[in-house]
Structures are given as C-alpha cells and as structure tokens.
Amino acid sequence: MDARDYTYDIETYPNTFTFSARHVATGNRYRYEISDRRDDREKMFYFLNYLRNNDQRMVGFNNLWFDWEVVQWIYENPWCSVAGIYNKAMSRIKGDNTYPMWADARLVKQIDLLKIHHYDNKAKATSLKSLEIAMRMKQVEDLPFPVGTHLTNEQKDVLWVYNDHDVDATTDFYIESYDMIAFREELSKKYDSDFMNLNDTKIGSEVLIHALEKAGVQCYGKLGGKRIPRQTPRSQIVLAECILPYIRLEHPAFQMVQNYLMAQTIKETKGVFSDIRCTPEMVKWMDPKRVKVWLKGVKKPRRLSHLPADVDLTGAKFVAASLHCRIDGFNYDFGTGGLHASLHRQIMRTGNGKTIVDLDVASYYPNLSIKNRIFPAHLSEVYCDVSEEMFNERNRVGKKTMMGGAYKLALNGTYGNSNNEYSVFYDPMYTMKITINGQLSLCMLVEQLLKVPGLQMIQCNTDGITFHCPDQYLEHANNLRVWWEQVTKLELEENRYDRFFIRDVNSYIAEYSEGYYNPEKPDSRYKRKGAYEYKREWHKDHSALVVQKAVEARMVHGADMTSFIINHRDEFDFMIRGKVNRDSSLHLVYPDGHEEKLSNTIRYYVTQSGGSLVKRTAPKGTPGTWKRKNKITDQYYDSVVAELLADPATPFLKLDAAGVPHDERIHTKNKSQWGLVTESNMCSGQTVADCSDFSKFDWSKVNYLWYVFEACKLLIVDKKT
C-alpha cells in the first residue's frame, strides 16, 4: 500500500450530497456532506487542497467518468446548490456527451480501478457490487433508496453507512490491485508518460508505439490541427494474397479449407468464417449436423444429417454454419479467434503404452509476425524489427520482471488492435494474415501427426495442440515437431500430462506429469480451464464454487462427491450471485404469497425451504403500443405520428393503446406490441435464501442435493468404469 493513496466514493440525491474518503495506510476516514441539514463544502475544499498540495492520490471505481467530475465541478462552482450538484451528477449518468477531463486539468491525481482492470470494456463489464461478492465481503449492499428520492435525516444517516461501505469495498479492491498500480507507476517513470489509468491492452500499445517512434516510425499524423493515428484501411482483402508460401497441406479436408479461403475476397473481416456456401465436394468433409440443405422445390432448409440417404441432392444448395472440417469424427473449427477442436467429455491418461503430449507455440502471433515479416503496412517492416528486439529483450530481463511484463503486453496487443478502427495498428489485412496462417500452420503439424499409427488428437486451441501418442512413436512425433519448427521458424514448447479431463475445448482439468510442474507448489500440478476453474479473475462469476471443487475432488483424487459437498465448510463456496439490469427487479416470493423486494445485485444460496427468486422486467415501451423500429429518432417518430393522427381515415384503422395506427416507417414490420411486466425464475424450481448479509447464511437450511446435482453436470465419467 502507498501512503499517498485515499480511496473515496460519492452519493448524490436531490437534497443530499455525501463524500466519503479513507486513507488506505491508516484507515482514517473523512466525511463531507452538502444537504439541507448541513454544509461541509469548505472543509471538503480544505481536504482537497491538502491532497493537491501534498501530491496525494485519490482512488475510486469509475471515478474518472463520474465521481471526480462531480467533485471538481463542485470545487469550481463553490456556491452551487445541492440540487445543482444532483443535476450535474444526473447529466453524467445520462451521458452528457462530454469526455472526462484531462489528467493535467484535475485538481488531485486520480486512479480509477475500473479503467485499470478494463471493466469499461463491454465483455468484462463489472460492477462494484459484483466485486464485493467475488472478494467475499461479509456485507453486500446496494443503493438503499431509489435515485431521485428526497431523503429524510434518518435516510441520510443510512446513506452514510452505504457510502462508507462502498469506500471499504474500493479499499479492498485497491489492495487486490496494488501490484497493477505499482507496475503502472514504474512504467510512468520509465517512459515519462501517464500510464496510471491505462488497461493492459492500452499499455501494450503505448509501449510499442514509443519503441516504434524511437526507431523513426511515424505513428501519428495531423489533420486540421488534430492528432490522428496513421492507419491502412482496406476496401477489400484478397485472402489468397494473405497465405504464406510455406503453407502446404496434404489432407483433403484441410485442403478444402485452404482452397475455400484462397477463393475469398472479403470486404468485412468478421464475415469470412460464417455462413459458408459450399459445394458437395466440400460437404463430405464437414459435420452433417452443421450443414443446412436447400432442396429443389422445398422452401425451408433441412439439416443434412436429417435427410434420408436416398434423397436426390442434385442442384441442392449447401450452407455450413461455420468454416470447419471433419477428420475421423473430429471437428476442426476455423475462425477469427483461431483453430479450435476437442474431444468431448472424455478422460485421457498417460500409461498403457501411451503418453499425453501438449505442444504450445511460444508467443505464437508475435513470432508469426516477426519471422514472416508480417506488419501493418503503414508501420513498415521496422515494426517486425522492433517487435523482435522486444521479444529478445523480454527473455533477457526476465518474463516476470516489470519490463518483461510490459514487453509481453506490447507483443500480444497488436493482433487485436489491428482490427480496431481507432488504433494506430489498424490494418485488417494484417489481422487476416496472422489468424489464417496461424491456423493453417497448425494444420500442417496436425495432419503429419495423424499419420502416426495409434495417435489420437485431444484438442487444438489457437496456439497449440494436445494429443495421445503411442510411446513407441514419441521420438517420431518429436521429429515432426522439429520439422515443423524448421519450416515455420517458430518454437514449440512441450508439456506432458498424466491425466486430461476434457469436457470441451474451453473446459478441462489437466494434470501435469512429474518434471513439468513445480513440486514446491503442489497446486501448480493442475491446469484448470473454463467450467472447472475455481480460482477465477475478479470479473468472472464466483458462484457456487463448491461445485467445481467437488468435481475435481472426485475426478482427480477419487473422493466421494456427495460427502465432499456435505462436509465442506466454506460458506462462501455455497453462495451464488444474482444480478439483473436496472430495468428489472428481483423478488423473493414465498409459498404463502408474501414477497420481499431485493437489490439488483444480491448473494443467495439454495435452501430446503424458502422463497422462489423471481426476476421481473418492465417493458421498454407503454404496454399495448406498437414497438418502434431501431434507430428512429423521437423527432421523426413524432412527425410521423402527427401525420397519421391528422389523416381522416385513422379512426377506422387498427389502433394501439395510444390511439396510433401501425406504420412501417416507425414501427416493426411484424406489428408486435409491448406487453406487461414479464416474469422469470432464477434458479428455477428451487427455493433460496438471501445471504447478502453473511450472518444470514444458515448451514441447517442448505439444500446439499442441489449442489450435488450441479456437480454431476460437470462430472466426466471414465467409460472404462
């Protein structure tokens, strides 16, 4: 922890503003209120000036966009009313189309934990309440009163408890994030630039941009006095021009994929791997369950797997759901995310003359670029030289050092940004070259390994493969590895496993063989992915982790799963996160009809008796009115409605609840209408109890049977037993 850091949070209501802060190192609290009962703004200004004059830092969650914008606005408008503060806060919440102020304009230095963890990214969006559950706080609290409420003095006191609680949650998350903060501080000093609120991807971009500009590559230009990134947009991409000369595939299934790709000229990179129009020659290498057939004279498509064998397919049209091929019953899926394939719900073992071998390409995408001189066109071949220097420097300084981490982020960040129209690395052709050659290169290795007698593929996953190899052919498999490395100029890193429990390509438990893990850290022997993870990143769902632990105990250690769950004594491992959006609400409905309204983010557990957890969602429009088309402005909608209501024929048409006739200019074509509030059950068929307050968890009420059933869904049974 850094003695300069103060965590803080604010709350705003029409007649109340509260500002709670906590000095992380000492735990000292600072509280300031502006309301109709007291006015602490002078004391708050004194506190802020102290922080500024002593180079202190304020740490929050989403504070750059919201909390600090409001606080500094108050500082700059010292005579503002509490109602004015509330209006300023609401303008930020509703989106006033203004960006947060620049760092040099802030009165006090700010650190935003949401920004650092990239929780402003839609795929990782996480609330502070969800983090409270993930961090196992004993109290999980949501806003105690609806936004816009005029608070009584008693309600203001309750609000203070909530405000302080949020600061405590922010402090806990600050402690968990401290290494990330220290890392950014070191980088800021090294590069003399502000890295403090950048996510990992942005850090990688900035480090690489710094190195490129140092090497003489101009990354930005100016247009109308505005600094803009240099880019290479593409009106079209001929994929035949993307495939590297060394790609040579022998298996007809892989050749089919390569030939399809070479025949494509695309204008949108996202569409090339989906809705594949294919010929009968292509279809024979595809999974019949994933191919739709349009028969002559039949309007609706049929699955190929559903058609009788004697159906005449002359003139039929075939469309595959995605680009894939099928070899010996094993599906290989190709996509912008990489090559994917796997066995399903199987247990593989080393022994009885066979060994599980895992080969991963070291820094696959960066090295594919470096070794084959693939680069965003506007950055020139110097991009490859700079990347290679970073790769070598990372190995020299150590992968776990501060700069080693920075170089890793720089090397790995370009691929995703090459298809980001706002990035300095934008060149969609670079994206396609990397992903296509990455997948086809792995196919070269796979098809040679498939020639080995008795060898069975277990999985392929973007940058590596896992296979079951007869011991007598291990040397031959290694020779194939060396051959592939020589052809591609890439390096394969080997691991071996004693056991591999695989549900699908994204969910498995792998047990490393002796010599491939650190014996001083016994837990390092196991690699857990997807549905079997219980040591999860903060933004992921941490619900009912006793399920994953019980499944691992059964599959890996042979324990009785039911006994494990019944005897497990970590309350948090039984708790489940319940979460709904702002347009919905959660209710606990009891058998006698009594119900209790809950917060939008709660923590609960499954019980033998209790209430049903019900989600209620209000319609987005007035019930009984026509649903509006997307992207229709209010101004246009109102003008069309006015035109319709002025038409004398309107009263004789079918009208909605607002007296408006249907018109396809502003309404959906299917004439659908908004209904009433919809209800759905969460944890359907079970009774639950709220334990957002940890003290409400009761061991005597736990429905252990439900947790056992959930574990059974993940259990992979050995077919030999």
Side-chain angles (χ1 to χ4, degrees):
M1 295 184 292
D2 195 306
R4 296 173 294 166
D5 293 338
Y6 292 73
T7 51
Y8 79 106
D9 181 65
I10 68 169
E11 301 300 336
T12 58
Y13 282 85
N15 66 331
T16 308
F17 166 82
T18 60
F19 175 113
S20 177
R22 175 179 167 184
H23 186 219
V24 177
T26 64
N28 291 338
R29 292 189 185 274
Y30 305 85
R31 299 184 183 92
Y32 307 101
E33 179 181 315
I34 302 174
S35 70
D36 50 13
R37 71 173 177 180
R38 56 189 264 204
D39 192 331
D40 298 332
R41 74 182 73 204
E42 286 190 20
K43 294 178 181 178
M44 185 176 79
F45 295 161
Y46 180 85
F47 174 70
L48 294 174
N49 286 328
Y50 168 81
L51 297 181
R52 176 191 60 184
N53 296 334
N54 289 277
D55 198 31
Q56 307 295 285
R57 305 186 300 193
M58 298 177 70
V59 184
F61 190 85
N62 198 28
N63 51 306
L64 288 186
W65 186 83
F66 179 69
D67 301 74
W68 182 250
E69 289 283 319
V70 175
V71 171
Q72 183 151 333
W73 183 85
I74 298 171
Y75 185 88
E76 293 172 351
N77 297 272
W79 307 114
C80 62
S81 66
V82 65
I85 297 171
Y86 175 75
N87 291 334
K88 171 63 179 177
M90 289 302 102
S91 72
R92 296 302 298 169
I93 292 173
K94 293 177 181 178
D96 58 7
N97 297 322
T98 59
Y99 290 98
M101 64 186 73
W102 294 104
D104 56 6
R106 295 178 196 135
L107 180 72
V108 183
K109 292 179 180 178
Q110 300 290 311
I111 297 175
D112 191 338
L113 299 176
L114 178 136
K115 287 283 187 183
I116 288 175
H117 286 268
H118 207 187
Y119 293 160
D120 52 345
N121 176 284
K122 188 175 182 180
K124 297 176 68 176
T126 308
S127 68
L128 188 59
K129 306 307 159 200
S130 293
L131 291 173
E132 290 176 17
I133 294 173
M135 292 188 295
R136 304 189 165 201
M137 291 185 70
K138 293 199 171 183
Q139 299 285 339
V140 176
E141 298 182 8
D142 211 341
L143 201 62
F145 311 110
V147 174
T149 303
H150 281 73
L151 304 182
T152 65
N153 288 343
E154 291 75 14
Q155 289 174 322
K156 294 183 182 77
D157 294 336
V158 173
L159 182 66
W160 266 117
V161 174
Y162 171 75
N163 199 170
D164 288 344
H165 174 80
D166 269 8
V167 173
D168 291 342
T170 304
T171 304
D172 288 352
F173 197 51
Y174 162 87
I175 293 169
E176 297 290 347
S177 310
Y178 184 71
D179 288 345
M180 299 176 72
I181 295 171
F183 171 61
R184 284 156 174 75
E185 188 169 18
E186 287 188 62
L187 285 179
S188 297
K189 292 176 182 176
K190 178 175 177 60
Y191 289 101
D192 192 24
S193 184
D194 186 6
F195 282 78
M196 294 308 300
N197 291 297
L198 301 186
N199 60 61
D200 285 353
T201 302
K202 187 66 175 174
I203 286 175
S205 296
E206 291 298 315
V207 169
L208 186 51
I209 289 170
H210 182 275
L212 286 168
E213 291 182 335
K214 189 176 180 180
V217 177
Q218 186 179 358
C219 295
Y220 290 91
K222 284 191 175 182
L223 181 64
K226 186 178 180 181
R227 184 171 177 258
I228 60 170
R230 294 183 62 227
Q231 300 176 329
T232 305
R234 304 279 182 174
S235 59
Q236 65 177 27
I237 301 174
V238 179
L239 295 191
E241 298 174 1
C242 295
I243 298 176
L244 293 170
Y246 72 68
I247 299 292
R248 295 286 187 274
L249 294 167
E250 300 175 4
H251 197 287
F254 288 147
Q255 286 181 338
M256 178 272 292
V257 172
Q258 181 178 354
N259 291 338
Y260 171 82
L261 291 172
M262 293 187 70
Q264 303 304 305
T265 299
I266 63 173
K267 294 185 178 180
E268 185 179 350
T269 56
K270 295 178 181 178
V272 68
F273 294 105
S274 60
D275 291 333
I276 309 301
R277 296 194 175 275
C278 42
T279 64
E281 291 72 24
M282 295 170 64
V283 168
K284 67 183 179 182
W285 295 111
M286 292 184 166
D287 182 351
K289 295 179 181 178
R290 296 164 63 179
V291 177
K292 288 184 179 180
V293 186
W294 275 263
L295 298 173
K296 193 173 183 180
V298 179
K299 292 183 178 180
K300 290 186 177 180
R302 308 267 184 93
R303 290 286 182 196
L304 185 60
S305 58
H306 295 166
L307 296 177
D310 58 350
V311 171
D312 183 10
L313 296 177
T314 304
K317 295 180 180 179
F318 302 90
V319 174
S322 62
L323 183 57
H324 69 279
C325 65
R326 189 172 178 85
I327 302 175
D328 299 331
F330 201 77
N331 282 326
Y332 296 84
D333 290 296
F334 298 79
T336 51
L339 177 66
H340 293 89
S342 85
L343 296 175
H344 291 272
R345 303 196 75 89
Q346 292 195 37
I347 302 174
M348 309 300 290
R349 289 182 171 84
T350 286
N352 296 323
K354 284 192 172 183
T355 299
I356 302 173
V357 180
D358 181 82
L359 299 176
D360 280 331
V361 189
S363 299
Y364 196 10
Y365 284 0
N367 274 323
L368 195 63
S369 167
I370 292 168
K371 301 300 182 183
N372 295 286
R373 315 307 282 175
I374 302 172
F375 50 88
H378 55 285
L379 298 179
S380 79
E381 200 167 343
V382 176
Y383 167 85
C384 298
D385 298 329
V386 169
S387 296
E388 187 169 20
E389 288 175 11
M390 282 190 167
F391 181 79
N392 294 332
E393 187 65 9
R394 182 181 178 230
N395 290 331
R396 187 189 71 79
V397 301
K399 295 180 179 180
K400 294 186 178 181
T401 63
M402 183 270 294
M403 284 312 300
Y407 292 143
K408 178 182 178 180
L409 295 177
L411 291 165
N412 291 340
T414 307
Y415 169 70
N417 276 323
S418 65
N419 203 30
N420 176 1
E421 59 184 324
Y422 301 104
S423 172
V424 84
F425 302 105
Y426 181 64
D427 181 353
M429 191 170 201
Y430 174 92
T431 313
M432 301 313 298
K433 284 183 178 181
I434 293 296
T435 190
I436 290 175
N437 288 296
Q439 293 172 85
L440 296 182
S441 295
L442 275 183
C443 288
M444 291 174 60
L445 178 59
V446 168
E447 67 179 10
Q448 296 305 319
L449 287 169
L450 289 176
K451 296 178 183 179
V452 176
L455 185 143
Q456 182 182 10
M457 295 302 302
I458 297 176
Q459 70 157 356
C460 301
N461 195 356
T462 306
D463 60 354
I465 59 175
T466 310
F467 56 91
H468 210 203
C469 183
D471 292 346
Q472 66 193 93
Y473 295 114
L474 282 173
E475 184 177 353
H476 178 59
N478 188 61
N479 291 336
L480 291 174
R481 166 190 173 178
V482 173
W483 161 81
W484 188 86
E485 289 178 327
Q486 292 173 344
V487 170
T488 63
K489 300 178 184 177
L490 301 171
E491 178 187 353
L492 287 165
E493 298 173 336
E494 179 179 315
N495 281 298
R496 294 193 180 181
Y497 301 122
D498 284 344
R499 290 180 292 176
F500 204 92
F501 306 84
I502 184 164
R503 187 188 75 170
D504 54 60
V505 71
N506 295 313
S507 297
Y508 59 83
I509 300 175
E511 181 181 38
Y512 288 100
S513 300
E514 190 172 345
Y516 292 88
Y517 69 96
N518 184 353
E520 296 180 1
K521 298 179 179 179
D523 195 56
S524 68
R525 184 169 190 176
Y526 303 102
K527 180 180 180 181
R528 309 172 184 92
K529 288 291 184 181
Y532 298 98
E533 287 181 286
Y534 52 81
K535 295 182 178 179
R536 300 180 176 178
E537 296 178 69
W538 293 116
H539 69 280
K540 294 186 177 180
D541 192 351
H542 289 234
S543 295
L545 295 181
V546 67
V547 170
Q548 283 73 26
K549 293 181 179 180
V551 171
E552 180 178 304
R554 170 66 180 85
M555 294 195 304
V556 176
H557 304 294
D560 181 78
M561 201 160 62
T562 302
S563 297
F564 180 94
I565 291 174
I566 291 174
N567 294 315
H568 194 67
R569 278 299 174 265
D570 186 334
E571 299 95 325
F572 290 106
D573 281 347
F574 288 84
M575 297 180 184
I576 304 167
R577 184 185 73 185
K579 183 180 178 183
V580 296
N581 295 328
R582 291 183 179 179
D583 61 351
S584 301
S585 58
L586 280 175
H587 303 261
L588 203 55
V589 181
Y590 295 92
D592 62 2
H594 168 70
E595 66 177 63
E596 177 185 351
K597 189 177 185 302
L598 306 174
S599 300
N600 281 27
T601 301
I602 66 163
R603 185 169 57 192
Y604 67 94
Y605 65 108
V606 181
T607 57
Q608 299 175 48
S609 62
S612 299
L613 189 58
V614 177
K615 171 187 174 182
R616 292 184 182 146
T617 304
K620 295 181 180 179
T622 304
T625 60
W626 308 115
K627 291 184 178 179
R628 285 170 59 163
K629 288 175 66 174
N630 292 330
K631 300 180 181 179
I632 297 295
T633 65
D634 289 342
Q635 183 179 2
Y636 179 69
Y637 180 86
D638 292 340
S639 67
V640 173
V641 169
E643 175 189 328
L644 293 171
L645 296 179
D647 189 337
T650 294
F652 303 99
L653 301 176
K654 183 179 179 180
L655 308 179
D656 66 7
V660 177
H662 184 272
D663 191 296
E664 290 189 2
R665 290 176 294 173
I666 56 175
H667 300 128
T668 55
K669 289 184 179 181
N670 61 3
K671 298 185 178 181
S672 57
Q673 295 183 346
W674 291 111
L676 301 174
V677 173
T678 58
E679 285 192 0
S680 59
N681 280 56
M682 299 178 69
C683 206
S684 182
Q686 305 299 322
T687 56
V688 307
D690 181 23
C691 58
S692 297
D693 180 346
F694 173 84
S695 66
K696 292 183 178 180
F697 184 90
D698 186 345
W699 284 110
S700 67
K701 293 182 179 180
V702 176
N703 183 353
Y704 294 104
L705 192 59
W706 181 85
Y707 294 93
V708 173
F709 282 157
E710 291 300 303
C712 287
K713 294 177 184 178
L714 293 180
L715 186 63
I716 303 173
V717 180
D718 194 338
K719 295 179 180 179
K720 296 180 181 179
T721 60

